[in-house]
Amino acid sequence: RVLGKTEDATKYAALFDSIKKAFAAAYVGADGLIRGDTQTAYALALRFGLLPEATRALAGKRLADDVAKRGVLTTGFIGVAHLLPALTLAGRTDLAYALLQNDKYPSWLYSIKKGATTIWERWDGIRENGDFQTPSMNSFNHYSFGSVGEWMYAVIAGIELDEQAPGYERVRLAPRPGGTLTSASATLETIHGAVGSAWTLAGKAFSLKVTIPPNV
């Protein structure tokens, strides 16, 4: 649609609609329960817009309740990139912040607490007792869990692209402070130049400094 390919846009919109209906019929109950009942199942369904309007809020609540009950994430490679964005879509950015700032296994800060300066392949690449996980699959330089950076840029820093103006011709800046953070800053290099967001929070006083390239 953005490229002016209206025929293709219509074709793929229809395809998506049929996929959405098939997914709902096969996997989604009227109460919003998704077969498998895992955090990843809800995160993917919410993030990809696969749920009927009537069950979207119910599924979001189911995901939020599971995260609140467990106090930890239970996603792996496939779901981890979508968990915090899905919680934000469900109106529970507070839980997303809680997961981000948790330092108990499994979590991002657990590895940092263990001395990590890179992204690990396993949440427990180094176990609580100091032993290494199985050497056959225990990289300390892996991409997957670093996908949380997308949520950090979009929600903490508040830097989001406008899908109707590709290539960052327009950007949306809307930071959403949370957790125990009192400041944050980020810079995103775009084809037009650097987009920056830096904020501080002191009591009820919120201060935001933005950097916008020319012609954006």
Side-chain angles (χ1 to χ4, degrees), residues 189-212:
E189 294 290 343
T190 77
I191 193 171
H192 302 286
V195 174
S197 169
W199 59 262
T200 59
L201 183 64
K204 294 183 178 180
F206 178 77
S207 175
L208 173 65
K209 179 180 180 180
V210 301
T211 303
I212 301 295

mmCIF file of all heavy atoms in Angstrom, residues 189-212:
data_model
loop_
_atom_site.group_PDB
_atom_site.id
_atom_site.type_symbol
_atom_site.label_atom_id
_atom_site.label_comp_id
_atom_site.label_asym_id
_atom_site.label_seq_id
_atom_site.Cartn_x
_atom_site.Cartn_y
_atom_site.Cartn_z
ATOM 1 N N GLU A 189 20.195 5.652 14.428
ATOM 2 C CA GLU A 189 20.732 6.182 13.176
ATOM 3 C C GLU A 189 19.789 5.813 12.025
ATOM 4 O O GLU A 189 19.551 4.640 11.770
ATOM 5 C CB GLU A 189 22.129 5.614 12.916
ATOM 6 C CG GLU A 189 23.178 6.051 13.923
ATOM 7 C CD GLU A 189 23.540 7.524 13.808
ATOM 8 O OE1 GLU A 189 23.221 8.141 12.757
ATOM 9 O OE2 GLU A 189 24.123 8.064 14.757
ATOM 10 N N THR A 190 19.254 6.806 11.344
ATOM 11 C CA THR A 190 18.377 6.572 10.205
ATOM 12 C C THR A 190 19.054 7.087 8.928
ATOM 13 O O THR A 190 20.107 7.735 8.997
ATOM 14 C CB THR A 190 17.021 7.280 10.366
ATOM 15 O OG1 THR A 190 17.182 8.687 10.087
ATOM 16 C CG2 THR A 190 16.471 7.107 11.772
ATOM 17 N N ILE A 191 18.439 6.840 7.802
ATOM 18 C CA ILE A 191 18.992 7.297 6.534
ATOM 19 C C ILE A 191 19.056 8.830 6.467
ATOM 20 O O ILE A 191 19.838 9.406 5.718
ATOM 21 C CB ILE A 191 18.167 6.726 5.356
ATOM 22 C CG1 ILE A 191 18.902 6.914 4.035
ATOM 23 C CG2 ILE A 191 16.777 7.342 5.315
ATOM 24 C CD1 ILE A 191 18.245 6.196 2.875
ATOM 25 N N HIS A 192 18.240 9.499 7.283
ATOM 26 C CA HIS A 192 18.216 10.967 7.310
ATOM 27 C C HIS A 192 19.173 11.550 8.349
ATOM 28 O O HIS A 192 19.437 12.756 8.331
ATOM 29 C CB HIS A 192 16.801 11.460 7.614
ATOM 30 C CG HIS A 192 15.775 10.987 6.639
ATOM 31 N ND1 HIS A 192 15.660 11.483 5.361
ATOM 32 C CD2 HIS A 192 14.825 10.022 6.758
ATOM 33 C CE1 HIS A 192 14.666 10.866 4.736
ATOM 34 N NE2 HIS A 192 14.153 9.965 5.554
ATOM 35 N N GLY A 193 19.658 10.707 9.257
ATOM 36 C CA GLY A 193 20.483 11.181 10.354
ATOM 37 C C GLY A 193 20.006 10.599 11.671
ATOM 38 O O GLY A 193 19.138 9.721 11.704
ATOM 39 N N ALA A 194 20.560 11.088 12.758
ATOM 40 C CA ALA A 194 20.275 10.529 14.078
ATOM 41 C C ALA A 194 18.971 11.066 14.650
ATOM 42 O O ALA A 194 18.716 12.273 14.647
ATOM 43 C CB ALA A 194 21.421 10.840 15.024
ATOM 44 N N VAL A 195 18.144 10.139 15.150
ATOM 45 C CA VAL A 195 16.954 10.494 15.923
ATOM 46 C C VAL A 195 17.276 10.176 17.376
ATOM 47 O O VAL A 195 17.668 9.047 17.701
ATOM 48 C CB VAL A 195 15.719 9.694 15.470
ATOM 49 C CG1 VAL A 195 14.538 9.975 16.387
ATOM 50 C CG2 VAL A 195 15.369 10.041 14.032
ATOM 51 N N GLY A 196 17.125 11.156 18.242
ATOM 52 C CA GLY A 196 17.503 10.964 19.636
ATOM 53 C C GLY A 196 16.370 11.269 20.592
ATOM 54 O O GLY A 196 15.508 12.116 20.335
ATOM 55 N N SER A 197 16.371 10.554 21.707
ATOM 56 C CA SER A 197 15.392 10.759 22.768
ATOM 57 C C SER A 197 16.112 10.618 24.100
ATOM 58 O O SER A 197 16.796 9.624 24.342
ATOM 59 C CB SER A 197 14.266 9.716 22.663
ATOM 60 O OG SER A 197 13.441 9.748 23.821
ATOM 61 N N ALA A 198 15.978 11.618 24.960
ATOM 62 C CA ALA A 198 16.602 11.571 26.284
ATOM 63 C C ALA A 198 15.642 12.191 27.290
ATOM 64 O O ALA A 198 15.185 13.325 27.096
ATOM 65 C CB ALA A 198 17.933 12.327 26.280
ATOM 66 N N TRP A 199 15.296 11.445 28.327
ATOM 67 C CA TRP A 199 14.355 11.971 29.302
ATOM 68 C C TRP A 199 14.827 11.744 30.727
ATOM 69 O O TRP A 199 15.646 10.859 31.011
ATOM 70 C CB TRP A 199 12.957 11.378 29.110
ATOM 71 C CG TRP A 199 12.830 9.873 29.207
ATOM 72 C CD1 TRP A 199 12.801 8.985 28.177
ATOM 73 C CD2 TRP A 199 12.690 9.083 30.407
ATOM 74 N NE1 TRP A 199 12.657 7.702 28.644
ATOM 75 C CE2 TRP A 199 12.581 7.728 30.008
ATOM 76 C CE3 TRP A 199 12.639 9.389 31.761
ATOM 77 C CZ2 TRP A 199 12.431 6.681 30.923
ATOM 78 C CZ3 TRP A 199 12.491 8.351 32.688
ATOM 79 C CH2 TRP A 199 12.391 7.018 32.262
ATOM 80 N N THR A 200 14.316 12.573 31.607
ATOM 81 C CA THR A 200 14.539 12.427 33.049
ATOM 82 C C THR A 200 13.205 12.592 33.752
ATOM 83 O O THR A 200 12.324 13.323 33.291
ATOM 84 C CB THR A 200 15.537 13.475 33.589
ATOM 85 O OG1 THR A 200 15.023 14.785 33.316
ATOM 86 C CG2 THR A 200 16.904 13.310 32.948
ATOM 87 N N LEU A 201 13.081 11.909 34.870
ATOM 88 C CA LEU A 201 11.859 11.967 35.667
ATOM 89 C C LEU A 201 12.248 12.240 37.110
ATOM 90 O O LEU A 201 12.973 11.457 37.722
ATOM 91 C CB LEU A 201 11.098 10.645 35.558
ATOM 92 C CG LEU A 201 9.754 10.542 36.283
ATOM 93 C CD1 LEU A 201 8.755 11.531 35.700
ATOM 94 C CD2 LEU A 201 9.210 9.118 36.183
ATOM 95 N N ALA A 202 11.779 13.361 37.641
ATOM 96 C CA ALA A 202 12.059 13.739 39.027
ATOM 97 C C ALA A 202 10.731 14.063 39.705
ATOM 98 O O ALA A 202 10.157 15.135 39.477
ATOM 99 C CB ALA A 202 12.999 14.940 39.089
ATOM 100 N N GLY A 203 10.237 13.122 40.499
ATOM 101 C CA GLY A 203 8.914 13.300 41.084
ATOM 102 C C GLY A 203 7.873 13.302 39.985
ATOM 103 O O GLY A 203 7.750 12.355 39.219
ATOM 104 N N LYS A 204 7.126 14.411 39.867
ATOM 105 C CA LYS A 204 6.121 14.530 38.817
ATOM 106 C C LYS A 204 6.631 15.345 37.630
ATOM 107 O O LYS A 204 5.885 15.601 36.693
ATOM 108 C CB LYS A 204 4.852 15.173 39.382
ATOM 109 C CG LYS A 204 4.138 14.309 40.415
ATOM 110 C CD LYS A 204 2.851 14.975 40.878
ATOM 111 C CE LYS A 204 2.113 14.081 41.880
ATOM 112 N NZ LYS A 204 0.843 14.711 42.342
ATOM 113 N N ALA A 205 7.898 15.736 37.691
ATOM 114 C CA ALA A 205 8.468 16.555 36.618
ATOM 115 C C ALA A 205 9.139 15.667 35.579
ATOM 116 O O ALA A 205 10.112 14.970 35.875
ATOM 117 C CB ALA A 205 9.469 17.549 37.192
ATOM 118 N N PHE A 206 8.633 15.705 34.363
ATOM 119 C CA PHE A 206 9.166 14.910 33.264
ATOM 120 C C PHE A 206 9.789 15.853 32.248
ATOM 121 O O PHE A 206 9.149 16.802 31.795
ATOM 122 C CB PHE A 206 8.053 14.096 32.606
ATOM 123 C CG PHE A 206 8.508 13.285 31.421
ATOM 124 C CD1 PHE A 206 9.209 12.103 31.603
ATOM 125 C CD2 PHE A 206 8.229 13.689 30.115
ATOM 126 C CE1 PHE A 206 9.622 11.340 30.519
ATOM 127 C CE2 PHE A 206 8.640 12.942 29.026
ATOM 128 C CZ PHE A 206 9.338 11.763 29.229
ATOM 129 N N SER A 207 11.044 15.586 31.897
ATOM 130 C CA SER A 207 11.747 16.418 30.931
ATOM 131 C C SER A 207 12.217 15.548 29.778
ATOM 132 O O SER A 207 12.825 14.496 29.987
ATOM 133 C CB SER A 207 12.951 17.103 31.595
ATOM 134 O OG SER A 207 13.707 17.834 30.642
ATOM 135 N N LEU A 208 11.945 16.001 28.546
ATOM 136 C CA LEU A 208 12.289 15.236 27.357
ATOM 137 C C LEU A 208 13.057 16.099 26.372
ATOM 138 O O LEU A 208 12.634 17.197 26.025
ATOM 139 C CB LEU A 208 11.034 14.694 26.675
ATOM 140 C CG LEU A 208 11.211 14.000 25.313
ATOM 141 C CD1 LEU A 208 12.024 12.734 25.457
ATOM 142 C CD2 LEU A 208 9.848 13.693 24.698
ATOM 143 N N LYS A 209 14.204 15.601 25.928
ATOM 144 C CA LYS A 209 14.994 16.279 24.902
ATOM 145 C C LYS A 209 15.039 15.389 23.675
ATOM 146 O O LYS A 209 15.396 14.212 23.772
ATOM 147 C CB LYS A 209 16.412 16.544 25.398
ATOM 148 C CG LYS A 209 17.312 17.237 24.360
ATOM 149 C CD LYS A 209 18.709 17.458 24.914
ATOM 150 C CE LYS A 209 19.601 18.135 23.876
ATOM 151 N NZ LYS A 209 20.983 18.359 24.402
ATOM 152 N N VAL A 210 14.660 15.930 22.528
ATOM 153 C CA VAL A 210 14.625 15.129 21.301
ATOM 154 C C VAL A 210 15.567 15.706 20.263
ATOM 155 O O VAL A 210 15.853 16.910 20.252
ATOM 156 C CB VAL A 210 13.200 15.029 20.716
ATOM 157 C CG1 VAL A 210 12.250 14.410 21.719
ATOM 158 C CG2 VAL A 210 12.704 16.391 20.268
ATOM 159 N N THR A 211 16.074 14.835 19.426
ATOM 160 C CA THR A 211 16.921 15.226 18.300
ATOM 161 C C THR A 211 16.283 14.709 17.023
ATOM 162 O O THR A 211 16.021 13.506 16.899
ATOM 163 C CB THR A 211 18.337 14.624 18.441
ATOM 164 O OG1 THR A 211 18.902 15.035 19.691
ATOM 165 C CG2 THR A 211 19.229 15.073 17.306
ATOM 166 N N ILE A 212 16.008 15.620 16.098
ATOM 167 C CA ILE A 212 15.344 15.260 14.844
ATOM 168 C C ILE A 212 16.215 15.745 13.683
ATOM 169 O O ILE A 212 16.594 16.909 13.644
ATOM 170 C CB ILE A 212 13.946 15.913 14.740
ATOM 171 C CG1 ILE A 212 13.068 15.484 15.914
ATOM 172 C CG2 ILE A 212 13.285 15.556 13.416
ATOM 173 C CD1 ILE A 212 12.734 14.012 15.946
#
